[in-house]
Amino acid sequence: MSEERGVKDVAKDRLESVGIILNPEKRSGMFLQVDQSTAFASPLYEGVEVMSIRDALKKYEWVSDLMWSLVERKQDEYTREADSEDVNGYFIRAMPGAKIEMPVEACLYLKTLGHKQKVHNIIIAEEGSELNIISGCTSHPGVVSGMHIGISEFFVKKDAKVSFTMVHGWERDMEIRPRSTAKIDENGVFISNYVLLTPVKLVQMYPKAYLGKNAKAVFSSILLAHEGSVVDVGSYCALQGEKSSAEIISRSISTGGKVFARGQIVAEENDVKGHLECRGLMLSDEGEIHAVPELETKCSQVELSHEAAIGKIAEEQVFYLMCRGMTRDEATSTIVRGFMDVEIKGIPDSLRFAISKAVELAARDIL
Amino acid sequence: MLQVVNLKVRVEGKKVLNGVSFYLEQGNTYVLFGANGSGKSSLLNTIIGNPKYEVVGGRIIFNDVDITEMSPEERVKLGMGIAFQNPPEVDGVKLKELLEHCRGISGLDREEVEKYIEMLNMEELVERHVNKGFSGGEVKRAEVLQLLVLNPELVMLDEPDSGVDMENLSIMGRALRTLLERDKKKDERTKTSLIITHTGHILQYVDADYGMILHNGRIACIGNPEKILEDITEHGYEGCVDKCLKNVE
């Protein structure tokens, strides 16, 4: 294990910008990892377990069976790299029937310039439980380059519900490669939100969800690609159980960077539903937005749809808001903020607040 | 209070106003008539400063200030307000957020805003995104509500009654009477308004002081609004303008 790290090593304002508030009264559990070390891991509520993956492997024999059971160990060079001795990460589990509305917060913090942070997370919502997680990933001021490889495997058991809100705040020269998969059992619900509004060199991820009977998955992403950033984010949902449904929503903005907003819904069973919505807003002539929605079915009784639209800010809207007394800049940032305001259902207000705060800050800085 | 002098306007290279001149006196309500395509909406858009409308000649003077080159926001802050015929939807922005912004400009207190929301029956609509999925009548009510909260000195209404059913029309009529201070005594009124109406329905609720006809890009006549509406109904726009011109001669 590398040297011990603690709260003293992190910049609180950086944590706040990604929704991490370090307030035990408003969280049902807290986890902080600095580079490869666990700074703290504390469950604060009955029915929730929060520990480092290293401790979880010691505590429960079966955890090693779960690791790499959903994400392919040899999927690519990044998963291979994460499959290492010094990997850390979090283990969060809601016990059967435990309904914990108050979120667990988990922060992965990059402290050392040039460090390659390797993380492997296991999230389990046991039967009939409810778990809300905010995962904030960010780096120390001045740590402009580095890499973050995060493997996450979600097990949403029968009748359970997980909402997972991930906010990223990186720097210009960082490369981010999360690899995650969720398995959602009968009647399970998985709501995944991803917010990236800061500059980054590259984010490339394609989280997957496999849905059982009557299960539901909703992926929402709010992406802002600054000049020099490449943001390649998509979601994949396989509807494997009858009456399962999936929704993939993305809002991308380019102020000069490149965005690939992908999404794929595959119907593998009859009587399933899927909808994909990709919207992009170009605020610069320099950037690029590619919307790549894909629908696929192997069955006849399915309902799959998608809508994709890319454009610039409508001058008519700017003029309209100016006629209500806004300056051109105020009108533009109001429209941008509105564009990013994805109505995310099924998450606690505190998480909604964390998202809208990040959006508010970004909309203000955009001009 | 508003003086428009020999205003010439082009939109996308096409001439839409060809030397419009008129003067609006404080406290009065003016109705602007004119055939389709006569430039009524262009005139209102130009007065509020829509950048699509290029002023190629003439001036607009508001309370002794030349506003011809000002941005819409500056004009609004000086006391102008407009309700559009077909305003755009603004996704992700709640009507109540926009009202809060308008309130910031006018300095109205919150209770007053609540009163107007109730008056226009908009308690639920203010929670929705601006104009998103609103019916025709709801759009018009939302426009009037914004103006009530903005509380401008000069009120411009572009077809407040088009596509509005009878029930909405009477709600709108009441709100417009408040907005334009029509229930106050004549010498106590401070609001000036310029209303475009195609159907004239709104005149059942708002008694206008003057009517004007915009014809061939210019103001052709000014007079009693009921008389003008009657002449238009009887003789058409051309006939009415001819009659007006004869009277002048």
Side-chain angles (χ1 to χ4, degrees):
Chain A
M1 207 191 281
S2 49
E3 61 174 301
E4 287 305 316
R5 303 275 202 185
V7 179
K8 60 179 183 356
D9 293 303
V10 301
K12 285 197 172 173
D13 56 334
R14 298 293 290 227
L15 298 191
E16 273 171 26
S17 72
V18 293
I20 302 297
I21 53 174
L22 301 178
N23 180 351
E25 283 174 14
K26 293 189 173 164
R27 297 295 189 234
S28 58
M30 287 162 49
F31 176 85
L32 172 64
Q33 176 176 333
V34 180
D35 291 343
Q36 294 310 114
S37 307
T38 311
F40 55 75
S42 30
L44 300 163
Y45 231 73
E46 202 176 325
V48 62
E49 287 190 309
V50 177
M51 63 187 94
S52 72
I53 196 73
R54 290 170 181 171
D55 287 345
L57 282 165
K58 282 182 217 150
K59 186 169 178 182
Y60 298 117
E61 263 178 38
W62 44 265
V63 171
S64 62
D65 297 333
L66 296 184
M67 283 177 83
W68 302 111
S69 67
L70 299 180
V71 174
E72 179 67 43
R73 194 189 292 261
K74 297 198 163 38
Q75 183 185 315
D76 55 33
E77 60 182 287
Y78 307 102
T79 54
R80 279 196 287 268
E81 191 140 14
D83 186 20
S84 75
E85 280 295 306
D86 70 337
V87 74
N88 202 351
Y90 51 78
F91 172 89
I92 300 174
R93 179 186 183 203
M95 302 310 260
K99 305 230 185 250
I100 306 144
E101 199 196 291
M102 202 183 268
V104 174
E105 71 177 20
C107 180
L108 303 166
Y109 193 84
L110 200 58
K111 169 81 182 187
T112 309
L113 186 72
H115 179 71
K116 251 186 207 177
Q117 188 174 45
K118 284 153 286 182
V119 176
H120 197 135
N121 307 315
I122 297 285
I123 298 96
I124 307 168
E126 298 287 1
E127 199 170 312
S129 67
E130 181 183 334
L131 185 58
N132 293 289
I133 300 171
I134 176 145
S135 173
C137 305
T138 189
S139 50
H140 201 63
V143 177
V144 292
S145 72
M147 191 168 182
H148 170 90
I149 306 171
I151 313 297
S152 300
E153 294 175 281
F154 296 85
F155 301 86
V156 184
K157 303 284 180 70
K158 187 168 179 261
D159 299 321
K161 179 184 168 186
V162 171
S163 92
F164 181 76
T165 298
M166 180 155 80
V167 184
H168 275 179
W170 304 108
E171 298 266 1
R172 294 211 166 272
D173 278 325
M174 294 210 169
E175 203 176 317
I176 313 301
R177 306 263 186 184
R179 298 287 180 263
S180 43
T181 301
K183 181 172 172 287
I184 311 157
D185 293 345
E186 189 175 342
N187 298 332
V189 176
F190 181 59
I191 298 170
S192 170
N193 307 307
Y194 178 55
V195 181
L196 171 74
L197 303 168
T198 55
V200 67
K201 183 176 162 197
L202 170 80
V203 171
Q204 188 269 315
M205 64 185 220
Y206 202 59
K208 298 185 178 77
Y210 295 91
L211 291 90
K213 190 178 167 189
N214 204 33
K216 188 180 169 185
V218 181
F219 284 90
S220 308
S221 343
I222 304 172
L223 311 169
L224 172 55
H226 296 256
E227 198 186 334
S229 298
V230 177
V231 178
D232 186 341
V233 171
S235 317
Y236 172 95
C237 293
L239 301 168
Q240 298 178 323
E242 60 178 42
K243 294 203 178 341
S244 58
S245 66
E247 204 176 344
I248 299 174
I249 299 164
S250 73
R251 296 278 187 277
S252 336
I253 296 182
S254 169
T255 56
K258 228 186 231 191
V259 181
F260 294 85
R262 304 177 194 273
Q264 187 174 7
I265 300 178
V266 181
E268 297 181 12
E269 181 59 85
N270 277 310
D271 198 14
V272 299
K273 260 188 203 175
H275 183 67
L276 245 162
E277 182 186 308
C278 298
R279 287 178 56 193
L281 186 63
M282 285 294 286
L283 295 180
S284 156
D285 289 330
E286 303 302 317
E288 281 178 46
I289 298 178
H290 301 253
V292 195
E294 287 180 73
L295 301 174
E296 188 184 322
T297 184
K298 292 160 183 153
C299 306
S300 61
Q301 305 297 312
V302 302
E303 209 178 292
L304 299 180
S305 59
H306 81 73
E307 48 186 307
I310 301 176
K312 60 181 175 89
I313 286 191
E315 198 51 45
E316 195 195 4
Q317 291 180 341
V318 175
F319 166 64
Y320 182 63
L321 296 179
M322 288 177 84
C323 287
R324 301 301 177 239
M326 291 189 195
T327 61
R328 176 165 283 278
D329 283 357
E330 282 169 338
T332 308
S333 73
T334 300
I335 293 164
V336 169
R337 189 169 43 76
F339 175 81
M340 290 192 276
D341 179 61
V342 181
E343 211 163 310
I344 298 166
K345 293 189 184 93
I347 62 169
D349 286 344
S350 57
L351 296 188
R352 214 182 300 269
F353 178 74
I355 295 173
S356 54
K357 200 177 153 197
V359 164
E360 187 77 53
L361 284 173
R364 209 183 302 155
D365 289 347
I366 232 166
L367 301 164
Chain B
M1 65 103 62
L2 182 78
Q3 205 176 343
V4 172
V5 189
N6 198 20
L7 192 63
K8 293 178 183 168
V9 173
R10 259 191 270 182
V11 61
E12 285 157 6
K14 195 180 143 225
K15 221 187 270 180
V16 287
L17 297 179
N18 190 22
V20 172
S21 296
F22 62 88
Y23 178 78
L24 304 185
E25 205 177 330
Q26 189 163 17
N28 287 329
T29 291
Y30 298 80
V31 184
L32 185 63
F33 298 104
N36 282 336
S38 60
K40 302 185 297 291
S41 288
S42 301
L43 178 58
L44 261 55
N45 270 288
T46 308
I47 296 174
I48 201 72
N50 188 335
K52 254 174 64 185
Y53 294 79
E54 187 198 351
V55 176
V56 290
R59 315 299 314 159
I60 308 168
I61 318 286
F62 179 64
N63 285 336
D64 301 327
V65 180
D66 187 336
I67 60 159
T68 320
E69 306 294 329
M70 284 185 183
S71 73
E73 162 250 343
E74 290 171 304
R75 300 179 200 218
V76 168
K77 285 178 179 158
L78 285 177
M80 300 177 114
I82 185 164
F84 291 99
Q85 185 184 0
N86 297 309
E89 292 177 357
V90 191
D91 228 346
V93 180
K94 285 184 179 164
L95 178 55
K96 72 172 181 195
E97 292 170 49
L98 191 51
L99 290 176
E100 192 52 28
H101 186 90
C102 294
R103 199 180 73 81
I105 305 270
S106 63
L108 234 61
D109 51 42
R110 284 211 167 78
E111 291 85 75
E112 220 157 341
V113 176
E114 291 302 322
K115 194 184 78 190
Y116 292 144
I117 291 171
E118 205 181 313
M119 176 194 273
L120 279 156
N121 226 343
M122 305 272 296
E123 291 92 338
E124 279 162 35
L125 281 176
V126 294
E127 299 294 334
R128 302 208 345 226
H129 294 167
V130 177
N131 299 326
K132 183 111 187 164
F134 284 21
S135 71
E138 288 168 343
V139 166
K140 303 288 172 170
R141 266 153 53 201
E143 288 294 291
V144 171
L145 177 59
Q146 289 172 59
L147 283 189
L148 279 163
V149 178
L150 206 51
N151 195 25
E153 236 184 288
L154 172 67
V155 178
M156 293 185 280
L157 307 169
D158 193 351
E159 305 243 8
D161 48 4
S162 74
V164 180
D165 59 30
M166 288 311 285
E167 195 192 335
N168 272 311
L169 197 62
S170 92
I171 297 174
M172 284 275 288
R174 235 175 304 143
L176 286 177
R177 288 194 70 79
T178 306
L179 177 63
L180 306 179
E181 302 175 322
R182 297 316 284 180
D183 295 323
K184 285 190 180 174
K185 280 190 203 137
K186 199 167 169 45
D187 56 353
E188 286 170 5
R189 293 173 192 162
T190 56
K191 297 287 177 73
T192 310
S193 60
L194 185 55
I195 306 174
I196 297 177
T197 172
H198 209 73
T199 59
H201 291 325
I202 201 66
L203 299 180
Q204 298 164 30
Y205 299 91
V206 180
D207 48 317
D209 300 293
Y210 298 99
M212 305 195 279
I213 296 186
L214 191 60
H215 187 73
N216 287 337
R218 309 171 91 148
I219 296 291
C221 48
I222 298 188
N224 177 302
E226 283 92 23
K227 187 83 185 62
I228 289 182
L229 188 58
E230 212 172 276
D231 283 349
I232 294 169
T233 318
E234 210 169 308
H235 309 288
Y237 284 105
E238 291 278 348
C240 178
V241 170
D242 283 348
K243 210 169 154 231
C244 265
L245 293 177
K246 267 188 207 123
N247 287 346
V248 174
E249 282 158 13

